[in-house]
Amino acid sequence: MEGFPAQKLVAQKPCPIIRFWILLLLLLQNSSGILSASNYLVGLGSYDITGPAADVNMMGYANTEQIASGVHLRLRARAFIVAEPQGNRMVFVNLDACMASQLVTLKVLERLKARYGNLYTENNVAISGIHTHAGPGGYLQYVVYIVTSLGFVRQSFDVLVDGIEQSIIQAHENLRPGSVLVNKGELLDAGINRSPSAYLNNPAAERSKYKFDTDKEMTLLKFMDDEWGPVGSFNWFATHGTSMSRTNSLISGDNKGAAARFMEDWFNENDIQNAYSENSEADEIPRRVSNIIPVAQKNHHELLELAASFQSPPGKRATRFMSVARRVRSALGQADKPTFLSAFCQSNCGDVSPNVLGAFCIDTGLPCEFNHSTCGGKNELCYGRGPGHPDEFENTRIIGDRQFKKAVELFTQASEQLKGKVDYRHTYLDLSKLEVTVPKLGGGNEVVKTCPAAMGFGFAAGTTDGPGAFDFKQGDDKGNAFWKLVRNFLKTPGKEQEDCQSPKPILLDTGEMRMPYEWAPSILPLQILRIGQLVILSVPGEFTTMAGRRLRDAVKTVLTSGGNGEFDNNVHVVIAGLTNTYSQYVTTFEEYEVQRYEGASTLFGPHTLAAYIQEFQKLATALINGLAVEPGPQPPDLLDKQIGLLTPVVVDRTPRGVKFGDVSLDVPQNSTFKRGDTVTVVFWSACPRNDLLTEGTFTLVEILHGQDSWVPIHDDDDFCLRFKWSRPSKLSTRSQATIEWRIPETAASGVYRIKHFGASKGLMGAIRHFTGSSSAFVVA
């Protein structure tokens, strides 16, 4: 020991009492550090939930012509579990999907019960959707939500149930001592109010409390592993998943899916770079980081000579495993260190659009009419513009990038540690006939009721993110005779229902329509999850900005004023929208009166928000006082009643003399591309519904390392690569895959090629996997 002669240490040996106190002090300091670092067990998991990339209508815009035909970004389920070492635990799953589905939730819970008993139940499991409008539909159980997808699509449903279960299994198996930090901050340029006239109908005194007409706050959790450090982050921020338009046909997580990919790659590439700097003898290029670890430089002539030696080979048979193994972010062969996960969750996004430039008429270029969002009286001409207008992919990238950068800022600066109980409360409520106590105008209270679900005329007008058709318009509180006549062929609402829903003119009386089975939900889940001073309100719909503020404030008041005072004023309350099931919108009473799209889509009448506030206050009271709550009526399981009319894949063919995976349109010979260019290759392919290639990829960009080693650097989980599938006609058995690679500015100089994976179906139903490769080319 430097500075302390050995003989001096021996001469001054401490007495037993002093040794005891020194040892006790060290133990206390050590145990204090352990408690501070690992007050919880933390586990994260992620799994592919990309649905059928062909023939299936997309969920969100209800546009019958928006049929999936390829992949822009793969979709994932990302889960975290936080548990007390000897106590409660909770699960939160974030889906790259339009919304949660009651049927999906029920079936996931059944599987969890079979696997884990009562460890994970409806009480402590939350499944939430990011609200992308670019995912396959057909996975919800109520008729109104699957009409445009030609009914139930079993493939869409199964991949969600499987993926959610797998993400939770991973999170469970990854549970390790750790901690959770929380941070929040304002993000100003990722959303605007798309129904400002409805927002302005809220009381002026209430509006004056807020600086903006949308919520700008992002709340982020940073998950820490005691051994490995940061292992993930989940955040909640309100903006719609409508950066991709109603005409897009490529599967995509939209802006939140993009943000998640950006942040996971940001962390992992920095992690790899740091690891590489510590290991100078490494001799293999890590995937995804050719720009970080450059290829040994050759001159342009040498690169062209190398590329010329790799001409496009014929398509060949493959195994499904090849697609999974070659995926850029393959779980195969990963180190023991947990994979970093980042999820961008949805909040009270009901009236929040990512198309931040505003809404304009496509015929004149002028702003749309303010109160109804029309152009010359027509809703079809009024569209919101994103920051990358007119490029929807650029819209998605920019809004995703803004969320990503704010999340990185909050992540790197997070310091407040969550401490305290893990707890939860859950109940089912019948929102079609709930008694609600509300204040009367002249003072005092009165008891009112919610109504069976119904959708108003303003619903059919759509929004500036995705306008409707015909002569519908937002703000219609009267309806018209023609459409009422059409409505009556399905179901004529009674006077009691019309009075209950007033001033909404009923277009579809969905809550009272039951042929061939229920058109809309009535029994809905309400749930509160707690991790220390963070409280998550799981809501089964889209709350508008002010509706969300009222709910948060009401719950926060209960938490900080009741119980034993453990929260004081230090409580973070977040709304997790579109969670556990879906029941469309929730507006304030005042916004409902205006009957814009959101009000017309508030199913259970003008007192819907008051009902949620009343019942969440009950859950919050039970939470802080340690009281049980009634489970409520069980929602229906309609799986056996589902009807699906989507035509199955019969057979795939190629022209005579052509194999699956053969190149139909190759890169030009001896071609050189620059950063920013687009490389396009077309392959003879087969229907992507034959195999979703879950945890695999339909396409790859590979870079040549050395003389003959190809390293994957981009797949269909990357923003720069697009897989487009097409057939010459609807009934054709022939199809092609067009792969487009927009070369990033960070791409290294080198020799590249593009690969395609797929699966064909024979006449007898046999599925055969195949692969093909383009000729090599140079990026200078």
Side-chain angles (χ1 to χ4, degrees):
M1 294 175 69
E2 277 186 278
F4 292 92
Q7 66 271 22
K8 200 167 186 179
L9 283 176
V10 173
Q12 297 182 354
K13 199 172 183 179
C15 69
I17 294 177
I18 294 175
R19 287 204 306 270
F20 169 78
W21 285 109
I22 290 173
L23 179 61
L24 181 61
L25 180 62
L26 289 171
L27 285 172
L28 286 173
Q29 286 179 333
N30 191 42
S31 66
S32 172
I34 292 172
L35 286 172
S36 173
S38 55
N39 51 331
Y40 300 122
L41 299 176
V42 175
L44 288 88
S46 173
Y47 205 79
D48 189 356
I49 57 169
T50 308
D55 301 328
V56 177
N57 185 253
M58 288 184 161
M59 184 65 205
Y61 287 116
N63 175 17
T64 56
E65 296 179 358
Q66 189 189 13
I67 305 298
S69 62
V71 177
H72 170 229
L73 284 174
R74 280 198 168 255
L75 310 179
R76 299 199 70 79
R78 295 173 173 91
F80 74 78
I81 299 175
V82 176
E84 296 171 341
Q86 301 297 325
N88 289 338
R89 61 183 59 199
M90 57 81 66
V91 184
F92 190 93
V93 185
N94 188 62
L95 304 178
D96 289 344
C98 194
M99 66 280 289
S101 156
Q102 195 164 74
L103 188 58
V104 168
T105 301
L106 290 173
K107 295 308 174 184
V108 169
L109 292 172
E110 285 181 7
R111 291 193 183 185
L112 294 176
K113 183 173 180 61
R115 183 180 291 271
Y116 298 113
N118 291 323
L119 194 60
Y120 302 112
T121 69
E122 63 198 17
N123 296 316
N124 64 347
V125 175
I127 301 173
S128 183
I130 62 172
H131 211 36
T132 174
H133 286 41
Y139 62 91
L140 291 96
Q141 70 172 348
Y142 297 104
V143 172
V144 76
Y145 305 132
I146 56 176
V147 168
T148 58
S149 61
L150 299 179
F152 190 67
V153 180
R154 187 71 196 220
Q155 207 171 26
S156 294
F157 172 80
D158 284 343
V159 74
L160 277 168
V161 175
D162 293 345
I164 295 167
E165 181 192 23
Q166 290 301 318
S167 72
I168 294 173
I169 291 171
Q170 282 185 27
H172 176 85
E173 294 178 348
N174 288 338
L175 277 170
R176 294 162 51 90
S179 57
V180 187
L181 307 180
V182 63
N183 198 8
K184 56 188 180 183
E186 284 190 340
L187 173 58
L188 300 181
D189 56 358
I192 62 168
N193 198 304
R194 70 184 186 190
S195 293
S197 61
Y199 180 88
L200 288 173
N201 207 45
N202 291 306
E206 182 180 34
R207 287 185 281 111
S208 68
K209 295 191 300 183
Y210 303 100
K211 190 174 177 181
F212 303 103
D213 62 0
T214 64
D215 281 341
K216 304 295 186 183
E217 190 168 80
M218 177 183 285
T219 301
L220 178 139
L221 298 184
K222 179 177 183 177
F223 297 96
M224 302 289 291
D225 182 286
D226 280 2
E227 178 181 357
W228 294 108
V231 290
S233 70
F234 277 56
N235 71 72
W236 290 265
F237 177 77
T239 193
H240 248 76
T242 49
S243 292
M244 302 293 284
S245 77
R246 67 194 299 273
T247 60
N248 163 64
S249 65
L250 301 186
I251 289 175
S252 175
D254 209 276
N255 55 68
K256 287 187 178 289
R261 172 53 52 236
F262 296 161
M263 189 157 183
E264 288 177 351
D265 286 349
W266 164 80
F267 184 89
N268 291 323
E269 288 182 6
N270 277 288
D271 208 34
I272 289 172
Q273 190 173 24
N274 292 337
Y276 228 82
S277 65
E278 296 168 4
N279 182 14
S280 59
E281 297 181 4
D283 59 358
E284 182 179 350
I285 300 176
R287 299 177 175 192
R288 294 277 312 130
V289 288
S290 61
N291 55 313
I292 297 175
I293 313 297
V295 178
Q297 290 299 307
K298 294 179 169 62
N299 64 44
H300 185 242
H301 179 71
E302 289 177 307
L303 291 176
L304 281 173
E305 282 190 345
L306 261 178
S309 64
F310 293 96
Q311 297 301 307
S312 171
K316 62 182 181 179
R317 294 282 292 274
T319 64
R320 188 184 187 286
F321 179 79
M322 287 179 63
S323 165
V324 177
R326 297 297 286 173
R327 189 171 69 93
V328 170
R329 299 165 190 82
S330 175
L332 301 171
Q334 281 189 344
D336 292 336
K337 183 175 180 179
T339 301
F340 182 87
L341 301 179
S342 182
F344 286 70
C345 312
Q346 195 56 270
S347 191
N348 54 318
C349 68
D351 53 358
V352 188
S353 170
N355 296 312
V356 294
L357 300 185
F360 296 86
C361 299
I362 59 175
D363 55 343
T364 66
L366 298 174
C368 303
E369 187 271 333
F370 182 75
N371 288 313
H372 304 287
S373 295
T374 55
C375 301
K378 295 181 179 294
N379 67 74
E380 301 99 312
L381 302 177
C382 178
Y383 280 86
R385 292 182 183 175
H389 176 78
D391 185 340
E392 62 188 323
F393 295 95
E394 190 65 2
N395 288 339
T396 301
R397 186 196 66 78
I398 293 171
I399 297 298
D401 188 62
R402 289 172 181 176
Q403 291 177 79
F404 152 64
K405 286 177 178 173
K406 173 54 67 172
V408 168
E409 176 189 322
L410 297 177
F411 180 83
T412 55
Q413 296 176 4
S415 60
E416 180 185 346
Q417 187 169 329
L418 296 183
K419 297 179 180 179
K421 298 177 183 176
V422 172
D423 209 350
Y424 42 82
R425 292 295 184 276
H426 176 284
T427 190
Y428 287 113
L429 292 171
D430 189 342
L431 261 287
S432 70
K433 53 182 180 181
L434 190 69
E435 291 190 345
V436 186
T437 302
V438 298
K440 294 172 67 174
L441 279 177
N445 294 321
E446 63 177 330
V447 177
V448 296
K449 279 189 174 182
T450 54
C451 325
M455 289 148 62
F457 276 67
F459 155 80
T463 71
T464 56
D465 291 336
F470 304 112
D471 55 349
F472 296 103
K473 67 178 181 180
Q474 295 191 65
D476 185 352
D477 59 0
K478 298 288 190 299
N480 68 57
F482 173 76
W483 288 110
K484 286 181 179 179
L485 185 64
V486 174
R487 168 201 70 188
N488 292 343
F489 278 106
L490 293 172
K491 172 71 173 66
T492 304
K495 185 177 186 308
E496 183 180 355
Q497 172 75 324
E498 288 185 328
D499 290 344
C500 186
Q501 292 278 354
S502 178
K504 177 197 293 177
I506 297 173
L507 177 64
L508 289 173
D509 191 13
T510 53
E512 299 182 316
M513 296 164 66
R514 295 181 174 85
M515 289 294 292
Y517 44 88
E518 287 87 336
W519 279 56
S522 59
I523 298 171
L524 299 173
L526 273 65
Q527 181 186 54
I528 290 184
L529 304 169
R530 176 189 175 186
I531 313 169
Q533 63 270 32
L534 175 85
V535 172
I536 301 170
L537 309 181
S538 300
V539 299
E542 303 173 61
F543 278 57
T544 60
T545 298
M546 194 64 85
R549 287 168 174 169
R550 289 186 190 177
L551 177 62
R552 281 199 306 263
D553 289 348
V555 170
K556 187 172 183 179
T557 297
V558 172
L559 296 174
T560 56
S561 62
N564 57 12
E566 60 181 304
F567 281 108
D568 296 322
N569 286 316
N570 185 26
V571 58
H572 306 279
V573 180
V574 297
I575 289 176
L578 306 115
T579 300
N580 294 328
T581 190
Y582 184 63
S583 60
Q584 290 172 255
Y585 284 76
V586 180
T587 62
T588 66
F589 181 87
E590 296 82 2
E591 291 166 350
Y592 185 90
E593 288 183 311
V594 176
Q595 281 297 296
R596 285 194 61 134
Y597 175 83
E598 295 80 14
S601 304
T602 296
L603 295 185
F604 304 105
H607 304 294
T608 301
L609 175 60
Y612 276 106
I613 290 175
Q614 172 182 282
E615 299 305 317
F616 266 107
Q617 285 177 318
K618 292 178 183 178
L619 289 183
T621 300
L623 183 77
I624 60 175
N625 291 301
L627 304 174
V629 296
E630 290 294 325
Q634 189 72 15
D637 178 342
L638 303 177
L639 181 59
D640 292 340
K641 295 184 178 182
Q642 295 301 311
I643 299 171
L645 302 177
L646 181 67
T647 305
V649 180
V650 178
V651 67
D652 294 287
R653 298 288 193 196
T654 59
R656 186 180 298 274
V658 172
K659 297 179 180 179
F660 290 107
D662 279 2
V663 172
S664 170
L665 176 67
D666 205 354
V667 292
Q669 283 191 346
N670 300 317
S671 53
T672 299
F673 296 90
K674 303 186 298 296
R675 295 162 188 85
D677 288 347
T678 296
V679 182
T680 301
V681 181
V682 182
F683 294 88
W684 286 103
S685 190
C687 184
R689 284 198 281 150
N690 295 325
D691 190 331
L692 305 183
L693 298 186
T694 301
E695 287 294 340
T697 181
F698 287 107
T699 185
L700 280 179
V701 175
E702 297 180 320
I703 188 170
L704 184 64
H705 183 43
Q707 297 297 313
D708 57 4
S709 177
W710 291 97
V711 179
I713 59 164
H714 295 294
D715 60 17
D716 59 17
D717 207 12
D718 276 297
F719 203 89
C720 63
L721 192 61
R722 299 175 196 171
F723 161 60
K724 298 180 177 181
W725 179 82
S726 62
R727 54 162 75 98
S729 64
K730 191 170 184 179
L731 298 178
S732 176
T733 59
R734 297 179 181 179
S735 64
Q736 294 186 321
T738 301
I739 314 301
E740 295 177 356
W741 180 39
R742 285 156 176 77
I743 304 174
E745 294 299 324
T746 54
S749 297
V751 177
Y752 291 81
R753 72 178 182 186
I754 291 174
K755 286 185 72 72
H756 171 46
F757 296 95
S760 65
K761 187 174 185 179
L763 263 179
M764 304 303 292
I767 301 297
R768 294 182 174 87
H769 292 84
F770 62 85
T771 185
S773 300
S774 74
S775 297
F777 55 92
V778 172
V779 173

